[in-house]
Amino acid sequence: MRVVLAEDLFLLRDGLVRMLQAYDFEIAAAVETGPELTKAFAELEPDVAVVDVRLPPSHTDEGLQCALAARKARPGLPVLVLSQHVEQLYARELLADGNGAIGYLLKDRVFDADQFIDAVRRVAAGGTAMDPQVISQLLSRRAQDKPMGGLTPRELEVMELMAQGRSNVAIASKMVITERAVAKHTSNIFGKLGLPPSDDDNRRVLAVLAYLDRG
């Protein structure tokens, strides 16, 4: 699997390269600036990109804007974004196209190699890998924008876990309830939010994320 990596800090970039290579990823390019990332996207057609939000020369949202442009040119291009903070506008913009294959992780909350590699693989396979804090803040923002469709606290908890990319089995284990109860909660969620239910986990997560992004 070919990876394009964009990170301006040398030690972190080198560490990510070594980690990915240790798990049999091929590093197609490891760059440190926005223009280099744009060139890598155009010339290399990676299987997945791991991108820091803030890159030179602007040190603002350069990395994310490059990733958004690349996904516009190639819908569904898998992109895992790394950031120091939860930046809601960036997260919402990344989710807006509804094509999936997206992730948003906070750097200081990635605690081990297995967690990070699992996120890269999940995004590369077309799924989602969202940090719980990102989802919580998106839910909070959405709650301020409009009522959450009458969701109960339990349903909100289920929806947050769904948005993280968890299966019904994982949600049941996390909440210490039965899979049948999870299925009932998800059915209620889709009904209240006007979203079609689906047995496909990725489509279900994307539907919830699409709802969170609706203005």
Side-chain angles (χ1 to χ4, degrees), residues 2-113:
R2 300 172 71 248
V3 181
V4 162
L5 171 66
E7 167 59 56
D8 64 320
L9 297 178
F10 168 75
L11 289 178
L12 181 53
R13 184 172 67 253
D14 187 63
L16 290 171
V17 166
R18 292 173 184 272
M19 183 192 307
L20 288 163
Q21 289 176 331
Y23 284 82
D24 298 322
F25 289 89
E26 175 187 347
I27 305 301
V31 303
E32 59 180 308
T33 70
E36 289 176 317
L37 178 57
T38 296
K39 183 179 179 181
F41 276 136
E43 297 180 354
L44 300 175
E45 297 187 353
D47 298 309
V48 60
V50 179
V51 179
D52 188 6
V53 167
R54 301 185 180 216
L55 293 176
S58 69
H59 289 287
T60 54
D61 60 353
E62 192 90 8
L64 180 67
Q65 293 304 328
C66 291
L68 290 170
R71 279 177 63 90
K72 185 175 182 179
R74 180 184 156 191
L77 169 67
V79 173
L80 175 62
V81 170
L82 301 177
S83 180
Q84 286 293 125
H85 310 286
V86 181
E87 304 184 66
Q88 293 189 22
L89 176 62
Y90 298 156
R92 290 165 71 89
E93 191 172 359
L94 183 67
L95 297 170
D97 64 16
N99 286 318
I102 51 176
Y104 194 119
L105 299 182
L106 299 180
K107 292 180 180 179
D108 62 357
R109 285 172 49 81
V110 178
F111 300 118
D112 56 53

Side-chain angles (χ1 to χ4, degrees), residues 119-172:
V120 176
R121 288 176 174 159
R122 195 187 311 169
V123 170
T128 58
M130 305 295 290
D131 187 285
Q133 283 194 9
V134 176
I135 296 301
S136 293
Q137 291 204 25
L138 287 174
L139 286 170
S140 175
R141 171 66 179 272
R142 182 59 184 163
Q144 293 172 9
D145 291 343
K146 291 183 180 180
M148 290 295 291
L151 298 186
T152 67
R154 199 66 160 170
E155 289 165 353
L156 284 170
E157 185 178 357
V158 170
M159 189 168 75
E160 181 173 337
L161 293 171
M162 285 167 55
Q164 293 173 29
R166 296 176 186 260
S167 66
N168 277 8
V169 174
I171 293 173

